[in-house]
């Protein structure tokens, strides 16, 4: 059975629980992937300027709107990149995203990371003196960017939210503006359940979208789809390991955005599998020996020398997040 469940945002809008991720979906792959997804029932697409593939997503949207789906029946999320955090840049980048996608509005626009980069020098501005690092803008605060997001015309974005924000960072922007984000999109899977952040967001009415539900998308890192507990539950349920991991996220009530560019996987990832409480608990137990966060920009090339999450490995960073 295809996933048909919806979740409701604090704006009253609803979105399908399972969406299609598009990070690292290559040119010539993503247009096809989006078209296949929409033809097979996906209505929620996760996009971003930094994925550098929104033109192709736009080409796919042209093929399916309105012949397969009406624009208003799709839920399109995109994200403001770090080099456009400065208040005068926020709407400019949004306009570029709308142009690339060939649509008049987004359903949801997120601050992609709680990190501002120097503006107007490309997506990864080189640090002027430290080789291998990006130039962080430590003057523009999260509150500055959040205010600019809130000021975006409702005709262009139906809802605004954040991504990769911690409790402290969310508290800071709410305190500065009184406005609660609609969504926090975060890495979440059985090795990184993020229980405290999920509970905090639930209490505040902030919807969680879980990214990297299959663990990660990075070359050379172990995949959660190869984990023996995941595989044995999948065998028992006559399901794929990916379906089991997506079901684990769905069981927690938030939305989940697995990425694939392969037709069979796009289709099977969208087939709903029911987990028993016992299976859910067994998967949740995977994090009991310590969590694994895959997506830490301090470890990227080029390095972002900023402590975002308070992970041990980030302790050597030069900057901390400038909240307000
Ligand atoms: N807000 C953020 O900062 C942020 C960060 C990361 C991700 N995201 C979003 O979340 C989406 C999902 O996260 P992700 O891309 O990091 O990781 P993911 O969805 O957990 O995993 C994607 C990887 O799993 C493979 N895969 C997909 N279906 C599979 C299946 N049925 N069996 C085995 N392998 C399968 C994909 O390869 P194939 O394509 O070859 O199938 C790809 O290598 C992204 O695409 C992006 O839209 C957001």
């Amino acid at each position: 059975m295809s996933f048909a469940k919806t979740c409701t945002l604090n704006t009253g809008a609803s979105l399908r629980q399972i969406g299609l991720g598009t990070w690292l979906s290559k040119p010539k792959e993503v247009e096809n992937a989006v078209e296949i997804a929409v033809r097979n029932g996906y209505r929620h697409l996760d996009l971003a300027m930094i994925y550098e593939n929104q033109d192709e997503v736009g080409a796919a949207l042209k093929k399916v709107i309105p012949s397969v789906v009406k624009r208003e029946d799709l839920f399109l999320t995109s994200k403001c990149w770090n080099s456009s955090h400065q208040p005068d840049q926020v709407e400019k980048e949004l306009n570029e995203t709308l142009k690339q996608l060939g649509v008049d509005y987004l359903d949801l626009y997120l601050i992609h990371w709680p990190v501002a980069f120097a503006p107007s020098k490309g997506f990864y501005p080189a640090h002027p003196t430290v080789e291998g690092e990006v130039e962080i803008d430590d003057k523009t605060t999260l509150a500055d960017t959040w205010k600019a997001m809130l000021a975006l015309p409702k005709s262009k974005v139906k809802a605004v939210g954040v991504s990769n924000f911690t409790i402290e960072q969310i508290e800071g922007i709410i305190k500065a503006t009184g406005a609660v984000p609609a969504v926090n999109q975060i890495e979440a899977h059985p090795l990184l359940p993020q229980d405290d952040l999920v509970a905090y967001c639930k209490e505040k009415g902030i919807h969680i979208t879980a990214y990297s539900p299959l663990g990660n998308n990075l070359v050379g890192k172990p995949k959660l789809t190869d984990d023996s507990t995941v595989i044995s539950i999948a065998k028992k349920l006559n399901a794929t390991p990916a379906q089991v991991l997506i079901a684990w996220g769905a069981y927690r009530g938030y939305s989940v955005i697995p990425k694939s560019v392969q037709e069979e996987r796009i289709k099977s990832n969208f087939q709903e599998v029911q987990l028993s409480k016992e299976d859910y608990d067994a998967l949740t137990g995977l994090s009991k020996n310590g969590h694994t966060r895959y997506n830490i920009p301090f470890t990227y090339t080029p390095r972002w020398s900023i402590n975002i999450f308070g992970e041990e490995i980030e302790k050597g960073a030069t900057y901390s997040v400038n909240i307000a």
Side-chain angles (χ1 to χ4, degrees), residues 3-316:
F3 263 106
K5 282 193 192 120
T6 57
C7 305
T8 305
L9 304 183
N10 59 14
T11 58
S14 64
L15 79 166
R16 293 289 186 93
Q17 192 171 24
I18 306 303
L20 181 76
T22 58
W23 181 38
L24 299 180
S25 296
K26 296 195 189 79
K28 307 287 168 222
E29 293 180 341
V30 71
E31 180 178 340
N32 200 30
V34 168
E35 187 184 351
I36 290 168
V38 174
R39 287 191 186 282
N40 286 281
Y42 283 76
R43 295 293 177 262
H44 169 185
L45 304 175
D46 186 70
L47 316 168
M49 173 60 78
I50 195 61
Y51 301 163
E52 296 190 81
N53 58 15
Q54 292 190 133
D55 281 327
E56 275 210 31
V57 173
L61 293 179
K62 269 208 181 76
K63 290 186 188 163
V64 295
I65 303 172
S67 58
V68 180
V69 68
K70 289 190 258 171
R71 166 66 189 90
E72 57 269 34
D73 292 334
L74 278 181
F75 192 97
L76 300 180
T77 301
S78 188
K79 313 185 192 89
C80 175
W81 185 241
N82 307 352
S83 49
S84 295
H85 270 217
Q86 297 71 22
D88 62 340
Q89 299 296 314
V90 170
E91 190 169 354
K92 277 190 204 156
E93 190 182 291
L94 169 66
N95 290 340
E96 186 58 26
T97 277
L98 293 173
K99 199 165 119 200
Q100 290 176 352
L101 296 172
V103 296
D104 300 331
Y105 69 92
L106 296 174
D107 296 280
L108 177 65
Y109 199 44
L110 306 176
I111 302 178
H112 202 149
W113 284 93
V115 179
F117 288 171
S120 312
K121 296 180 189 168
F123 288 147
Y124 293 99
H127 192 285
T129 52
V130 186
E131 205 176 324
E133 279 191 11
V134 289
E135 186 180 359
I136 305 273
D137 166 4
D138 65 335
K139 302 285 182 298
T140 301
T141 67
L142 297 185
D144 294 335
T145 309
W146 183 233
K147 282 178 195 160
M149 295 284 283
L150 293 169
L152 290 169
K154 287 278 171 289
S155 57
K156 293 184 186 175
V157 285
K158 302 290 174 206
V160 287
V162 298
S163 176
N164 294 300
F165 273 46
T166 62
I167 295 174
E168 187 191 2
Q169 293 154 10
I170 298 175
E171 288 274 283
I173 60 168
I174 296 176
K175 196 163 166 230
T177 61
V180 177
V183 168
N184 188 18
Q185 183 180 124
I186 57 169
E187 179 178 341
H189 43 69
L191 294 181
L192 191 69
Q194 306 235 49
D195 289 337
D196 291 350
L197 181 55
V198 170
Y200 167 82
C201 287
K202 191 168 183 191
E203 185 213 317
K204 290 278 174 196
I206 302 168
H207 175 76
I208 292 279
T209 297
Y211 77 67
S212 300
L214 311 180
N216 71 92
N217 198 356
L218 307 164
V219 178
K221 300 246 181 181
K223 306 283 179 223
L224 255 177
T225 42
D226 295 332
D227 178 274
S228 59
T229 303
V230 176
I231 289 174
S232 79
I233 293 173
K235 279 199 177 126
K236 189 179 74 181
L237 298 177
N238 199 17
T240 67
Q243 285 171 331
V244 166
L245 291 162
I246 294 163
W248 181 85
Y251 192 103
R252 288 155 64 89
Y254 46 55
S255 56
V256 186
I257 47 170
K259 171 262 178 188
S260 182
V261 291
Q262 302 188 37
E263 180 159 2
E264 283 319 306
R265 288 176 172 183
I266 293 170
K267 289 180 182 166
S268 63
N269 290 350
F270 200 57
Q271 296 302 307
E272 186 169 5
V273 166
Q274 299 285 351
L275 290 185
S276 64
K277 168 99 173 50
E278 186 195 359
D279 292 337
Y280 172 78
D281 288 344
L283 292 164
T284 306
L286 292 177
S287 66
K288 71 175 180 298
N289 295 326
H291 74 250
T292 304
R293 186 191 293 276
Y294 291 104
N295 211 357
I296 303 176
F298 184 65
T299 66
Y300 288 0
T301 307
R303 179 190 298 264
W304 314 3
S305 193
I306 183 159
N307 185 340
I308 300 171
F309 303 116
E311 295 281 346
E312 195 56 37
I313 199 167
E314 295 176 290
K315 296 248 161 83

